[in-house]
Amino acid sequence: MATAVVSGRVDAQVKARAEAFIRAAGLSAGDVIRVVWERIARTGEIPDAGDDVEQLDVSRDPLGRLGELRASFGSCEDLVSLDDNQMRDMIASRYA
């Protein structure tokens, strides 16, 4: 299968916050982009930018685990400052 590169721009703070959640879910940015593009190709529907993560159908959506994890954290500016080990410890404590 031939592949293509997809790129875009986001605010640096948004990128940092998103990467923390993506890494915590065991995914890469490429994984997330691939899932979104494949979903659009499969369904013909573009996700509404206003959709809340909690509204996603996590039973069918490969990003469901990420959405559940993100929702469990709520809105917290302090997450951006956590390193990988601190993030792992915080996540582990939620599932202990």
Side-chain angles (χ1 to χ4, degrees):
M1 166 177 55
T3 62
V5 175
V6 177
S7 65
R9 295 189 180 277
V10 296
D11 180 84
Q13 289 182 332
V14 169
K15 179 180 181 281
R17 289 185 68 196
E19 284 178 338
F21 291 117
I22 291 167
R23 278 193 316 268
L27 299 170
S28 70
D31 294 330
V32 173
I33 292 167
R34 186 173 39 260
V35 166
V36 171
W37 281 77
E38 288 173 352
R39 182 176 181 179
I40 293 169
R42 186 180 68 250
T43 66
E45 296 177 8
I46 297 173
D48 181 359
D51 284 349
D52 289 333
V53 172
E54 295 81 5
Q55 293 176 350
L56 293 175
D57 180 0
V58 297
S59 63
R60 294 184 314 140
D61 187 348
L63 290 177
R65 184 169 179 275
L66 177 61
E68 287 177 327
L69 182 63
R70 196 271 175 235
S72 75
F73 290 136
S75 181
C76 180
E77 297 299 324
D78 296 336
L79 292 177
V80 175
S81 65
L82 298 179
D83 63 30
D84 288 347
N85 289 330
Q86 291 169 322
M87 182 69 76
R88 241 186 310 277
D89 290 345
M90 184 178 64
I91 292 168
S93 71
R94 290 177 177 268
Y95 293 101

